[in-house]
Amino acid sequence: MIDKLELLLALAKERHFGRAAEACGVTQPTMSTSIKQLEEILGVMLVQRGSRFLGFTPEGERTLEWARRIVADTRAMRQDIGAMKGELSGELRIAAIPTVLGMVAQLTTPFRARHPNVRFSIISCTSSDVLGLLENLEADAGLTYIENEPLGKVRSVPLYQESYRLITSPDGLFGDRDQVTWKEVGQVPLCLLTPNMQNRRIIDRALRAAGTIAHPTLTSNSIIVLYTHVKTGRWASVMPAKLAETLGLGDGVRTIPIVDPVVSYSIGLVVPPREPYTPLVAALMQTAREVAPSLERDA
């Protein structure tokens, strides 16, 4: 039954029988047969079928909710029993928004010092994708905004307040200032994250509140792309203060606080609301609580 539920979750992720089978390392006939056997066990149709995957029936959607709980509990049980044998081990999968990637090491490094047998997988994605990965059991934890847009059913550990800086060259527009207003930032040609990123939506909202709009000359979903352009000293951007500090933009670039008003949003660790937590997730939450004061001081 557990194996069949795992296959059902893979189908929910891939929305395609062939890709789901490949992701699970089984043949497509095996995938189809397993789903049909699950339907026979439950006595309902789970999948709308045609020449291709068409979606889940209402009964299938409800079964998915149970499948996520059962599979999550099974994985937690295996991990918990394994932890009783000695040191924590296994893989922690963390989904993180791009603007927090620079501080992930401040969380993973002390964790690994305490639990050296644990491996990490860090995925960069949008805030909405963070929540989707958690829900579908594709990530164990997330790093994202925790008070700006609806989070849904998660538990959170606040880490620090994100504030914002104008990143520009000393001879750029407002480059000689000690601080700038959001209205003034609206006059600067910027390179920014794409509109599907929550950081970009925060910046756009702050600019609109100041009676102006962004004038991006370049957009990207990659912080590295923004970083390499800003570092030339010939481009400007708005970045979180902690990210700018972590990147170490150098002498040719200034990081100028943006005021009127000072805008800040809380960044935190989020995990699914399933208790008891797996030993790995519980240990990660404990580490997050321990490092939060130093992260907040440095923000």
Side-chain angles (χ1 to χ4, degrees):
M1 175 66 80
I2 298 298
D3 291 342
K4 291 178 175 57
L5 294 178
E6 292 268 18
L7 294 177
L8 188 71
L9 292 180
L11 183 59
K13 174 190 175 184
E14 300 294 342
R15 317 295 290 186
H16 186 278
F17 275 98
R19 290 196 298 269
E22 183 178 356
C24 293
V26 301
T27 64
Q28 186 167 337
T30 297
M31 165 70 75
S32 298
T33 299
S34 296
I35 299 299
K36 287 179 181 177
Q37 289 173 345
L38 187 57
E39 290 176 326
E40 291 172 2
I41 292 170
L42 298 175
V44 294
M45 294 291 293
L46 302 177
V47 178
Q48 299 175 16
R49 292 179 178 84
S51 57
R52 55 187 174 83
F53 175 80
L54 299 176
F56 291 96
T57 64
E59 295 83 357
E61 294 289 351
R62 181 61 61 85
T63 302
L64 274 173
E65 294 178 15
W66 281 102
R68 292 185 181 108
R69 296 184 206 175
I70 294 169
V71 170
D73 286 346
T74 301
R75 292 177 183 176
M77 178 186 68
R78 289 171 176 163
Q79 198 179 109
D80 194 24
I81 298 302
M84 294 176 67
K85 301 176 183 178
E87 288 283 335
L88 283 184
S89 62
E91 182 181 59
L92 257 176
R93 302 164 300 167
I94 300 175
I97 57 174
T99 52
V100 306
L101 292 175
M103 58 71 56
V104 176
Q106 293 172 263
L107 182 62
T108 55
T109 302
F111 184 99
R112 190 170 183 275
R114 187 176 298 172
H115 308 291
N117 294 325
V118 175
R119 306 181 311 278
F120 290 92
S121 172
I122 312 296
I123 303 167
S124 174
C125 56
T126 66
S127 55
S128 60
D129 285 341
V130 168
L131 301 180
L133 291 170
L134 288 177
E135 182 181 18
N136 237 19
L137 307 182
E138 298 168 63
D140 302 300
L143 290 166
T144 187
Y145 298 98
I146 60 174
E147 61 180 14
N148 180 47
E149 295 180 357
L151 278 176
K153 297 178 181 179
V154 298
R155 301 285 172 80
S156 61
V157 178
L159 292 174
Y160 64 93
Q161 289 291 122
E162 179 180 272
S163 58
Y164 304 93
R165 301 287 187 270
L166 173 66
I167 315 299
T168 188
S169 64
D171 58 354
L173 186 60
F174 307 124
D176 60 343
R177 301 276 291 276
D178 292 328
Q179 62 183 30
V180 294
T181 67
W182 283 101
K183 191 172 184 63
E184 289 170 330
V185 170
Q187 303 173 36
V188 179
L190 301 168
C191 53
L192 297 171
L193 288 172
T194 49
N196 65 319
M197 296 289 182
Q198 192 170 167
N199 172 265
R200 171 65 184 280
R201 295 195 293 273
I202 287 172
I203 292 170
D204 286 346
R205 188 160 55 246
L207 290 171
R208 285 196 303 271
T212 186
I213 60 173
H215 296 286
T217 55
L218 179 150
T219 61
S220 175
N221 64 354
S222 168
I223 286 292
I224 294 299
V225 171
L226 302 188
Y227 167 73
T228 54
H229 281 78
V230 169
K231 196 170 172 59
T232 66
R234 298 181 178 274
W235 300 74
S237 186
V238 174
M239 290 186 180
K242 182 173 284 295
L243 176 64
E245 176 188 333
T246 303
L247 292 176
L249 293 167
D251 296 334
V253 178
R254 294 200 63 212
T255 62
I256 305 171
I258 306 175
V259 298
D260 194 23
V262 173
V263 174
S264 67
Y265 287 92
S266 184
I267 297 293
L269 178 79
V270 294
V271 300
R274 301 184 183 99
E275 295 190 50
Y277 298 113
T278 68
L280 289 181
V281 168
L284 183 65
M285 293 174 72
Q286 178 61 34
T287 302
R289 294 187 185 99
E290 292 171 359
V291 302
S294 61
L295 289 172
E296 186 62 50
R297 280 197 305 271
D298 296 340

